[in-house]
Amino acid sequence: MMKRKMIFILGLLGLCVAVLTACSSQPSKNADGTPSTLKNRYLGYYRSDTDNAYYFQESTNEFDFNVKKSTISDGSGDDYYSKKYIVVEEDELNSKLQGQAQKYKAQVTDKDTVFYLVLKDNDVNMDGKVTKSEQQAVYQVVLSNGGKDIKIIALGSIYGYGDDFVFTGTAKE
């Protein structure tokens, strides 16, 4: 009888540890839905297969995040290159973008955090919801090393051209 109680208690403790471990592996989120490990400023380099960047300058070597205002900018100081964003889940992306996201996720480790930004355009609802047909500017963001390293990948193309780039950077606080 005592042996059964001990096995039951150890099993219950093991289950509790497993649940707590699973819950703690998900990073906490900021008010805008970005992971709390996201830093304010990243310096790095940009590469592109095209020279038709649409939302950000082609020569950018910086990206700044303002989670209170839900904005991302390329550090140029030009308001034109500062855009509002909405964080969406992968299953909210249209099927074409989900396929592209999976291609890049193959390079991600289980220690990395992946999230998706949809830039708000004039024709996007301002209520915080983006329909799949409104997803014109979607970026897959991969945070590594506790948010110290970032990779921003443009998914799809904007209006049929440009903005196919990858930015790789390191946090600069």
Side-chain angles (χ1 to χ4, degrees):
M1 183 74 161
M2 188 68 158
K3 197 174 193 180
R4 283 186 183 167
K5 284 183 181 180
M6 187 60 100
I7 290 173
F8 176 75
I9 291 172
L10 288 175
L12 189 59
L13 284 173
L15 181 63
C16 289
V17 169
V19 168
L20 288 173
T21 303
C23 292
S24 68
S25 66
Q26 297 295 325
S28 61
K29 300 207 181 249
N30 295 314
D32 65 352
T34 56
S36 61
T37 55
L38 179 71
K39 308 300 183 207
N40 293 330
R41 184 175 180 212
Y42 291 90
L43 300 177
Y45 63 93
Y46 145 86
R47 78 175 160 75
S48 173
D49 297 334
T50 69
D51 28 332
N52 292 323
Y54 188 80
Y55 283 105
F56 303 109
Q57 288 189 13
E58 298 166 3
S59 60
T60 190
N61 64 354
E62 176 179 337
F63 272 97
D64 299 328
F65 289 88
N66 183 330
V67 297
K68 291 180 182 173
K69 295 181 179 180
S70 297
T71 60
I72 181 175
S73 68
D74 65 5
S76 66
D78 187 343
D79 285 342
Y80 180 77
Y81 297 109
S82 179
K83 300 294 179 191
K84 286 191 130 325
Y85 62 79
I86 298 171
V87 178
V88 297
E89 298 296 324
E90 185 176 334
D91 62 355
E92 296 176 271
L93 299 175
N94 64 43
S95 59
K96 178 183 173 188
L97 296 178
Q98 283 182 9
Q100 290 180 4
Q102 286 303 312
K103 174 182 139 186
Y104 294 112
K105 275 183 81 174
Q107 305 166 10
V108 173
T109 70
D110 53 349
K111 292 182 181 180
D112 297 337
T113 303
V114 179
F115 63 101
Y116 300 89
L117 300 178
V118 177
L119 300 188
K120 287 186 178 182
D121 229 355
N122 293 334
D123 59 347
V124 173
N125 298 328
M126 296 307 281
D127 63 359
K129 299 195 185 317
V130 180
T131 65
K132 291 183 179 187
S133 63
E134 294 173 321
Q135 295 173 359
Q136 297 171 354
V138 179
Y139 294 86
Q140 182 180 50
V141 182
V142 180
L143 296 177
S144 303
N145 197 14
K148 293 178 184 171
D149 299 317
I150 193 169
K151 185 179 262 189
I152 303 173
I153 304 162
L155 299 178
S157 61
I158 311 305
Y159 306 116
Y161 78 94
D163 224 12
D164 297 326
F165 77 90
V166 175
F167 174 84
T168 304
T170 303
K172 182 71 176 178
E173 298 279 341

